[in-house]
Amino acid sequence: MSKINLILLGCGSSTLEVIDIIRDINLKSNKKINIMGILDDNKKLSKKKISSIPILGKINEISKFKDEHFFLTIFSYQNRFLRDLIIKKTKKYHKQFINVIHPNAIISKNSNIGLGCMVSNNTNIHFGAQIGNFTTISPCASVAPYAKINKNCFIGHSVVVSSKSKIGKNSYLGFGSSILENIKIGEGSRILPNTIVNKDITRKRGVIFGSPSRIIAFDI
């Protein structure tokens, strides 16, 4: 039986979600994922454990792990730009990042998913959809045909990304939100929960809310 030795980058509530998904994967896959430890920059977590998994050091110690694989577990909208910075700083190791895909996800063979992505349970990714590197897709989300989600985006629970829509990098789509067909969302946007986006919003880092949607603030 083959296995993948994995180091998680980041320690928080999102880490627990990833651990649960990996446990589900291991129940149904012959190739097991062995979580060896976690890297996190919080000094208070040094030498502690989360869900029996040890904290091994700081994220900048990634170079110590030559043969292991990695997965980035920082999902909060407040940290999405920090996450982007970590992605850039770890570029040298990108080939060692894996995708974490729940066995109950339905993914078209004609879609494309980048590296370092997570696809949660009961998610549908349809024909021709493109998912950028380091994007996270939460449970029960739907990505319609030919939709394009750029790198380092977070797609929340029960989000609908409709056909041919385009989501800019570093964007965060809150739970229950919907992006209608052929809509463009600017990079760094934050779509608040249950918002319906029915027109292009191309300004960067807008906080978007309502139905119909509008920019109510900017994340700086």
Side-chain angles (χ1 to χ4, degrees):
M1 182 182 298
S2 60
K3 68 177 181 180
I4 295 172
N5 289 324
L6 183 66
I7 303 293
L8 302 178
L9 307 185
C11 183
S13 58
S14 299
T15 307
L16 296 172
E17 295 177 31
V18 175
I19 291 169
D20 282 343
I21 289 178
I22 288 174
R23 286 172 177 163
D24 283 352
I25 292 170
N26 286 341
L27 288 173
K28 296 189 177 182
S29 175
N30 290 326
K31 191 169 188 177
K32 307 301 182 184
I33 300 174
N34 173 41
I35 305 175
M36 297 180 62
I38 302 168
L39 299 179
D40 192 277
D41 292 339
N42 187 343
K43 294 179 181 179
K44 294 180 180 179
L45 296 174
S46 178
K47 298 182 180 179
K48 293 186 177 181
K49 293 183 178 181
I50 179 171
S51 190
S52 302
I53 299 169
I55 311 297
L56 301 177
K58 296 182 178 181
I59 292 175
N60 62 11
E61 297 179 71
I62 190 173
S63 61
K64 293 181 179 180
F65 303 94
K66 307 296 183 183
D67 301 317
E68 290 76 15
H69 294 270
F70 305 110
F71 188 80
L72 181 56
T73 61
I74 300 170
F75 296 162
S76 168
Y77 76 86
Q78 296 171 314
N79 292 324
R80 67 191 189 280
F81 301 118
L82 170 63
R83 179 182 164 93
D84 184 50
L85 183 61
I86 294 171
I87 291 168
K88 291 174 181 176
K89 287 184 175 180
T90 58
K91 185 177 180 179
K92 181 179 178 181
Y93 309 98
H94 280 186
K95 290 184 178 180
Q96 291 171 254
F97 281 79
I98 67 166
N99 289 336
V100 173
I101 299 177
H102 195 280
N104 288 346
I106 298 175
I107 301 173
S108 171
K109 293 181 179 179
N110 296 102
S111 62
N112 183 65
I113 299 177
L115 60 85
C117 294
M118 185 174 88
V119 181
S120 301
N121 54 294
N122 302 313
T123 285
N124 291 346
I125 299 177
H126 294 280
F127 190 105
Q130 298 180 50
I131 311 299
N133 295 341
F134 298 99
T135 283
T136 301
I137 303 181
S138 300
C140 303
S142 178
V143 183
Y146 301 109
K148 182 177 181 180
I149 301 172
N150 278 286
K151 68 177 183 177
N152 190 36
C153 288
F154 179 91
I155 310 300
H157 193 290
S158 300
V159 166
V160 175
V161 181
S162 298
S163 180
K164 298 182 182 179
S165 55
K166 295 181 179 180
I167 312 301
K169 66 181 181 179
N170 302 330
S171 292
Y172 189 102
L173 278 60
F175 64 82
S177 59
S178 298
I179 313 299
L180 302 188
E181 292 186 2
N182 297 299
I183 296 298
K184 296 179 181 179
I185 301 296
E187 68 179 71
S189 296
R190 175 158 58 104
I191 314 298
L192 297 186
N194 298 315
T195 292
I196 298 177
V197 184
N198 62 341
K199 60 183 178 182
D200 291 349
I201 300 180
T202 56
R203 293 187 67 179
K204 297 180 181 180
R205 299 197 178 201
V207 180
I208 301 161
F209 177 68
S211 177
S213 57
R214 65 192 188 282
I215 294 177
I216 61 171
F218 290 91
D219 282 332
I220 299 175

